[in-house]
Each structure stands twice: as structure tokens, then as C-alpha cells.
Amino acid sequence: MAGMDTPPDHRAVLDEVAPRLRRLRASSGLTLAALSEATGISKSTLSRLESGGRRPSLELLLPLAAAYRVPLDELVGAPEVGDPRVRLTPRTLPGGGTVVPLTRGPGPLQAFKMLIPYRGAEPDPRTHEGYEWLYVLDGRLRLVLADHDLVLGPGEAAEFDTRLPHWFTSADEGRPVEILSLFGRQGERMHVRAKPRG
């Protein structure tokens, strides 16, 4: 148990963690055994955390936040502080174009808005670790992915393992394509709407 020197307002926040953990596990459909395997925390410790018999610590909450894919603040019910708006800072892409990060911190997924110019007709495929999801907002995107050569229009999406050779450009000379991109090192599978060009 936490020492008596814990301020009353902190104790109140900590007391809410147990029911919050119970709700998260119930809504995720995980058993204590599955959660224990995912986090490396013993079933008895998880059970005591959920019943309030053990005070949460950072060492216990970090793997739980990762397993439930929620921010640490959500586990402890911390009040929202500061301005939630993301400050958009455009950056120039090495191959031409502009990228605007839409997420602020580290995490399994990063979101970007990209403006891609026409980069020529000859692909220059690259590979790297990760998984990517693209959604076309405006214009037409030419995506070369391994043996596929695709053109996606507004409202179309594609997903792929970035270990496959890939390259993309605006499909139209003189008109850039605007896309949203989600990139994750572990990969998040999402619906594919792109079809091979006929």
C-alpha cells in the first residue's frame, strides 16, 4: 500500500485505477492469463491491481498501457492539460514534396499528411521496417509495390508491409497528390481498396 504521506488528491486518483483496469480488461475480452502473457506481470499481481489490493506503479502501468494501447494518462484518469491541438510543422521530403506530422508523441502509429509531386515515370523503390496505410485525399497516387503498379484516386486506400519494395508519386505530371499516411513499426492492418491498374 502507498504510504500515508501520499496527498489525498493523489490517493483519490490512484483509487480509481483499479476499477478502470477492470473495465478495460472486460471491454477488451482478455483473460488474466492472456494479459499476464502480454505484459509479463503475474496473474496474482494483475488481480490485486484490479481489486485495489495493490497500488499501481509506473513499472506496472507502462506494460498495461502498451497492452491496452491507451495512453498512460487514460489508465490513471489524469486530467487533460494543455492545448490538445497539434502544431503543424511542414517538412520537405528528400524526393520532393511536403510532409506534415499529425501526431505529437511516440507511439505504435504515426500519422502524416503528405503532398507528393510528380516524381517521374521511372520508379525508385525502397524498403524499410514497418507497415504503412495510405489514403488519397485529392489527386491521383501512383503506387509501385513489388510487382504491382497501381493508381489510386480520392477516397481509395492501400496498406502494405514496408519491407516490400515500394515507391509512390503523383500519377499526373504538374499536379501533386494529397494523401494521409499512417505508419507503424509493428503494423496496423486496415482495409485495402486499391485495385491493380488494368
Side-chain angles (χ1 to χ4, degrees):
M1 290 296 210
M4 295 306 291
D5 57 346
T6 304
D9 55 337
H10 291 185
R11 280 201 299 273
V13 168
L14 291 173
D15 287 343
E16 288 302 310
V17 173
R20 192 170 288 111
L21 290 174
R22 286 196 302 271
R23 286 193 300 271
L24 271 170
R25 190 166 62 81
S27 66
S28 68
L30 287 172
T31 63
L32 279 175
L35 187 57
S36 174
E37 189 174 319
T39 61
I41 301 170
S42 72
K43 287 192 294 184
S44 62
T45 298
L46 289 170
S47 178
R48 286 176 17 241
L49 276 172
E50 289 186 6
S51 68
R54 168 132 186 200
R55 285 286 189 195
S57 66
L58 194 57
E59 291 78 13
L60 295 171
L61 291 177
L62 284 173
L64 285 168
Y68 288 128
R69 293 183 167 198
V70 297
L72 187 59
D73 286 356
E74 192 172 319
L75 283 188
V76 296
E80 224 177 86
V81 294
D83 188 341
R85 291 175 293 184
V86 177
R87 303 297 176 193
L88 304 180
T89 309
R91 288 183 284 187
T92 302
L93 292 167
T98 305
V99 62
V100 182
L102 300 177
T103 44
R104 290 192 290 189
L109 281 180
Q110 297 295 313
F112 303 92
K113 182 176 177 182
M114 302 170 80
L115 199 63
I116 310 290
Y118 178 72
R119 293 173 166 168
E122 192 59 39
D124 181 21
R126 304 291 168 92
T127 63
H128 50 88
E129 286 295 318
Y131 206 85
E132 190 158 4
W133 178 84
L134 303 172
Y135 178 84
V136 180
L137 296 168
D138 187 54
R140 297 191 318 140
L141 177 75
R142 179 183 174 202
L143 170 63
V144 176
L145 177 65
D147 296 330
H148 298 282
D149 195 335
L150 316 168
V151 173
L152 291 75
E156 288 192 293
E159 63 169 346
F160 53 92
D161 187 323
T162 55
R163 291 174 296 183
L164 291 172
H166 61 281
W167 176 81
F168 43 85
T169 180
S170 170
D172 302 306
E173 194 168 352
R175 182 180 179 196
V177 60
E178 187 176 1
I179 65 172
L180 285 180
S181 170
L182 295 182
F183 175 77
R185 299 217 165 262
Q186 305 306 318
E188 287 291 318
R189 298 194 64 79
M190 300 194 185
H191 185 63
V192 182
R193 293 181 56 197
K195 293 182 172 54
R197 188 166 56 176

